[in-house]
Amino acid sequence: MRAHHPLVQLTLARFREFFRQPETVFWVFAFPILLAVALGIAFRNRPPDRVRVAIQAGAGADSLAARLAGAQALRVEVLDSAIAAARLRTGRVALVIVPGEPVVYRFDSTRTESHVARLVADDEVQRAYGRRDPRAVREEKITEKGARYIDFLLPGLLGMNLMGTGLWGVGFAVVNMRVRKLLKRLVASPMRHSHFLVSFALARLATVALEVTFLIGAGMLIFGVPFRGSVVAFAVVALAGALAFSGLGLLIASRTQTEEGVNGLMNLVMMPMWILSGTFFSAANFPDVMQPFIKVLPLTALNDALRAVMLDGTGLAALAFPLVVLVAWMVATFTVALKIFRWL
Amino acid sequence: MGGSAIICRGLVKRYKDVVAVAGLDLEVRSGECFGLLGPNGAGKTTTVEILEGLIAPDEGEVEVLGMRWASDDHAIRERIGVQLQETKLADKLTVEEIVTLFRSFYRRGHAVDEVLDIVQLGEKRKTWVSRLSGGQRQRLAIACALVSDPDILFLDEPTTGLDPQSRRQLWDVVAAFRARGGTILLTTHYMDEAERLCDRVAVVDHGKTIAFGTPKELIASLGAEHVIEFALQEGQAPPEDAALLALPGVHEVRANAGRTTLTVEELHRSLPAVIAELERRGLGMTELSTHHATLEDLFLHLTGRHLRDE
Ligand SMILES: Nc1ncnc2c1ncn2[C@@H]1O[C@H](COP(=O)(O)OP(=O)(O)OP(=O)(O)O)[C@@H](O)[C@H]1O
Ligand SMILES: [Mg+2]
């Protein structure tokens, strides 16, 4: 194509405007890495905390405490009954043991931590009073790459990033041009409307390649995140995602007349997906009735597919469902956006 | 080339509670510079944008270069150059990048360097739009309109808000385009601009043409070419209109905010008579000025209002 073809020039203009905006470069490239570092530190893998357990002061308390002192998994202290009760209520101890016959375990049955404390404490108590296990057991501990939080997080951050740049890069840019009457000025020239719209998609393709390479590269170098699938499959998924979100951005921008308006709409669209689509934690945490709805959100489809390729090495054939979801979003949003788009 | 570049008849455009254009006829000849002159809200921009095919009129017909909007859009756009009243071009692109972008939309036209020379932005070619002055931005907007070497150039208030030097630079660009045979339709509320650039002018008010002709003809229609303005000392009332009209060569008398304005045929006959009359009545002047009648005086004559609220 000639260098002076309008499509080339329009795409170049989009690309230049994108990269000449220091904020953009920060949000697209630096922010996800900073977020990954912060979350990586907060949720780093480490030995489980020792469970805090209180023994209520009274007959037999001190001897029980002495017997439990050697238990690796527990941190035991003897407390007056009032103080012990207060700490249990505020969650500063997970379990209160009242010595006597029988031994009483007092805990909040809705707290996972307390259940663990009860099991561990009971194990130690029974053993301290002479229980012998009938079978020998051996433990094998693993910390496998690909099963850590950071490994889960990174593809999600990439998905979130593709959503953000797709919506902002297209939606905000279009509305900004409408507000500035630049859109009107372009319409007054013989520019083909299709060239204008396609230039956004083309500019996105170029930026997506950079975003993906940068984020995944940084993830592999800094955190040793594995990449088990094929590069081609990954590129196809990322591209489908980027185009689906470009379409959504265009749709949001198609009739919006103000920058505040488009800001509001974008947040309205993005916020639920940040939470529901399994970016920071698995979408499986939501109730079953919500799952069909969550599964067809574009960010869920994108995150699931990116994770499957990266962490499990899944091939394209097995990704039919998320790919169909993404392509459906892309086709639907572009079609409707073109129908209702306001040039002036 | 002769004939008409733009013809429109019976143009009407209504918005919810205003009639922006109320039955407007216009004919712009090939090769002339035509001015639409009028106060804020007169309907100038609406009219121009209808002619540019950006707004659909509610009623009326438009013909541009012998073609019609809706059937020949692309062909018309190839041959017109447009500067809108309030476009803000992309901040983060350079002058050269923007002109190159606009050039790419047209089949024929100037080289980018050529057009930058025409508007004298050659030195700024690598500068971002956000770092241009107001006058430079306006010249860039005109470069984008000129880059296709159009047959018709539409300029909507090209010099509003510019300093005198920038205005003159723009006038030179327009005059050069006109000298090479281009047709121009421009809107303005500056009289001097219209008188200096335009071959013919339509004065527009409330969406209608209220006067039409060459600037000379329009001023001549006042019947008098000069204007005398005076103000009297505190508390003194000017002579009644009839007394002033009785003086030699005085055509029209208007009192406005403590000032009295007389339209007169010949200054050398009327001025001494006015001074003598005021002296005879023992009235003292605090100010006296005279000027050639302008389109501003015409507008005042036609509507009783000033074109611009100072
Ligand atoms: N999109 C619109 N919606 C509603 N009213 C409008 C719209 N555009 C223009 N008008 C009204 O139509 C009238 C004519 O507006 P127009 O912009 O054509 O005036 P103008 O002569 O260009 O004024 P100015 O010198 O201030 O640019 C004004 O009263 C304006 O408020
Ligand atoms: Mg206007």
Side-chain angles (χ1 to χ4, degrees):
Chain A
M1 222 182 315
R2 286 174 305 130
H4 289 297
H5 192 282
L7 201 47
V8 174
Q9 288 298 324
L10 282 165
T11 307
L12 272 176
R14 305 275 4 108
F15 204 66
R16 285 169 175 145
E17 286 193 282
F18 188 80
F19 280 99
R20 287 176 190 176
Q21 204 97 39
E23 308 89 296
T24 311
V25 176
F26 173 79
W27 286 110
V28 174
F29 295 100
F31 178 71
I33 299 294
L34 292 177
L35 197 59
V37 169
L39 292 173
I41 290 171
F43 299 99
R44 71 191 177 280
N45 289 23
R46 58 187 168 193
D49 281 336
R50 300 212 288 173
V51 179
R52 290 171 171 275
V53 171
I55 296 176
Q56 188 174 309
D62 289 333
S63 69
L64 180 60
R67 282 171 193 265
L68 291 181
Q72 288 291 322
L74 301 181
R75 177 177 293 176
V76 180
E77 51 196 330
V78 177
L79 298 171
D80 282 340
S81 75
I83 298 174
R87 295 219 174 151
L88 180 62
R89 210 168 41 242
T90 54
R92 286 163 64 199
V93 300
L95 178 77
V96 175
I97 303 176
V98 186
E101 190 58 44
V103 176
V104 176
Y105 298 133
R106 189 176 292 146
F107 65 102
D108 179 348
S109 67
T110 63
R111 286 178 56 202
T112 315
E113 199 195 357
S114 296
H115 273 289
V116 172
R118 186 214 171 279
L119 289 174
V120 173
D122 186 51
D123 200 39
E124 296 289 353
V125 169
Q126 302 297 353
R127 226 183 280 197
Y129 284 95
R131 187 186 72 189
R132 289 288 161 263
D133 295 330
R135 289 296 299 260
V137 295
R138 182 163 59 87
E139 291 179 349
E140 280 183 8
K141 294 184 176 161
I142 55 156
T143 345
E144 195 195 353
K145 281 189 179 173
R148 302 166 308 169
Y149 180 62
I150 186 71
D151 304 316
F152 173 86
L153 180 65
L154 199 84
L157 284 181
L158 179 61
M160 188 180 83
N161 212 37
L162 291 176
M163 170 169 83
T165 42
L167 289 181
W168 285 103
V170 178
F172 193 78
V174 167
V175 173
N176 182 264
M177 290 169 95
R178 187 180 286 126
V179 169
R180 299 167 146 254
K181 308 274 186 214
L182 186 49
L183 214 48
K184 193 178 204 173
R185 177 61 189 86
L186 290 173
V187 171
S189 81
M191 178 193 75
R192 304 266 173 207
H193 293 189
S194 57
H195 285 167
F196 177 80
L197 297 174
V198 170
S199 74
F200 277 94
L202 288 181
R204 281 298 297 141
L205 296 192
T207 34
V208 164
L210 285 172
E211 276 173 60
V212 172
T213 318
F214 180 79
L215 252 181
I216 298 303
M220 291 167 74
L221 284 177
I222 304 175
F223 303 107
V225 174
F227 190 98
R228 302 203 172 98
S230 90
V231 173
V232 174
F234 200 70
V236 169
V237 170
L239 223 66
L243 290 177
F245 286 115
S246 301
L248 202 53
L250 195 65
L251 181 63
I252 289 174
S254 57
R255 298 187 80 81
T256 312
Q257 299 283 1
T258 64
E259 292 184 345
E260 294 77 19
V262 79
N263 272 347
L265 281 174
M266 301 253 204
N267 286 329
L268 197 68
V269 167
M270 288 200 281
M271 208 76 85
M273 285 199 267
W274 280 337
I275 297 165
L276 295 175
S277 290
T279 302
F280 298 101
F281 55 89
S282 170
N285 287 323
F286 292 100
D288 286 347
V289 285
M290 290 174 69
Q291 291 300 332
F293 168 72
I294 292 177
K295 282 269 181 279
V296 298
L297 291 175
L299 186 57
T300 318
L302 180 58
N303 282 346
D304 288 353
L306 289 174
R307 271 190 195 118
V309 176
M310 253 185 98
L311 304 180
D312 307 329
T314 310
L316 281 179
L319 295 172
F321 179 75
L323 283 175
V324 166
V325 169
L326 291 176
V327 171
W329 274 98
M330 177 175 91
V331 172
T333 48
F334 270 105
T335 312
V336 177
L338 289 188
K339 278 233 163 62
I340 66 170
F341 197 85
R342 252 180 119 119
W343 287 96
L344 297 173
Chain B
M1 212 170 34
S4 304
I6 305 170
I7 303 173
C8 74
R9 286 185 215 93
L11 231 45
V12 175
K13 180 70 194 178
R14 295 180 203 93
Y15 290 109
K16 258 165 258 145
D17 47 356
V18 262
V19 181
V21 181
L24 195 123
D25 301 322
L26 216 61
E27 190 209 338
V28 180
R29 296 183 196 133
S30 281
E32 78 173 336
C33 179
F34 191 96
L36 279 181
L37 193 59
N40 286 134
K44 303 182 296 296
T45 298
T46 311
T47 304
V48 171
E49 290 188 353
I50 290 172
L51 301 180
E52 291 164 346
L54 295 174
I55 298 177
D58 295 324
E59 288 168 39
E61 288 175 40
V62 177
E63 212 174 89
V64 180
L65 297 165
M67 296 179 279
R68 281 168 189 281
W69 290 113
S71 52
D72 310 305
D73 287 18
H74 197 78
I76 301 177
R77 297 200 194 289
E78 282 279 357
R79 293 174 58 191
I80 63 174
V82 169
Q83 171 255 321
L84 299 173
Q85 187 171 354
E86 43 181 358
T87 297
K88 296 197 194 70
L89 294 162
D91 270 346
K92 298 274 158 84
L93 296 183
T94 68
V95 167
E96 190 175 34
E97 285 163 356
I98 289 194
V99 178
T100 308
L101 174 65
F102 275 91
R103 176 65 187 86
S104 75
F105 302 146
Y106 297 89
R107 247 179 293 135
R108 62 184 184 92
H110 290 291
V112 171
D113 285 344
E114 243 177 338
V115 89
L116 289 181
D117 281 344
I118 294 175
V119 300
Q120 295 173 36
L121 279 178
E123 283 167 28
K124 295 283 174 189
R125 75 183 61 221
K126 302 280 182 214
T127 306
W128 285 10
V129 173
S130 56
R131 299 190 187 142
L132 294 180
S133 73
Q136 289 164 344
R137 273 177 217 211
Q138 199 60 330
R139 277 185 278 147
L140 175 59
I142 296 196
C144 294
L146 281 177
V147 75
S148 60
D149 191 15
D151 295 334
I152 308 178
L153 184 59
F154 290 92
L155 302 174
D156 196 355
E157 299 197 16
T159 65
T160 299
L162 297 189
D163 58 283
Q165 192 203 346
S166 301
R167 294 181 69 202
R168 265 190 299 278
Q169 277 180 325
L170 266 175
W171 289 349
D172 291 344
V173 173
V174 174
F177 178 79
R178 156 94 173 64
R180 285 187 297 117
T183 308
I184 299 153
L185 177 62
L186 81 86
T187 77
T188 182
H189 14 183
Y190 295 115
M191 305 311 104
D192 52 340
E193 186 160 291
E195 281 167 38
R196 172 143 180 184
L197 289 178
C198 298
D199 300 298
R200 293 189 304 149
V201 175
V203 182
V204 183
D205 192 29
H206 297 307
K208 283 205 193 75
T209 309
I210 54 172
F212 185 81
T214 67
K216 270 215 166 64
E217 284 167 359
L218 287 173
I219 292 165
S221 74
L222 279 168
E225 271 185 40
H226 298 273
V227 176
I228 301 173
E229 269 189 330
F230 63 82
L232 297 176
Q233 287 165 2
E234 283 284 326
Q236 297 188 339
E240 60 281 17
D241 288 2
L244 291 170
L245 280 169
L247 298 172
V250 174
H251 265 249
E252 195 178 353
V253 178
R254 252 170 213 290
N256 213 327
R259 302 167 143 269
T260 306
T261 308
L262 308 176
T263 324
V264 306
E265 274 164 58
E266 291 167 310
L267 210 50
H268 62 270
R269 287 208 300 137
S270 308
L271 189 57
V274 171
I275 295 173
E277 176 68 15
L278 294 179
E279 264 173 14
R280 196 178 64 74
R281 295 175 179 243
L283 298 170
M285 286 185 286
T286 55
E287 245 180 78
L288 172 68
S289 68
T290 68
H291 62 261
H292 270 276
T294 63
L295 291 174
E296 174 80 50
D297 299 303
L298 175 74
F299 191 79
L300 186 64
H301 167 73
L302 292 172
T303 66
R305 289 178 288 129
H306 283 278
L307 256 165
R308 285 189 298 145
D309 322 311
E310 307 298 291

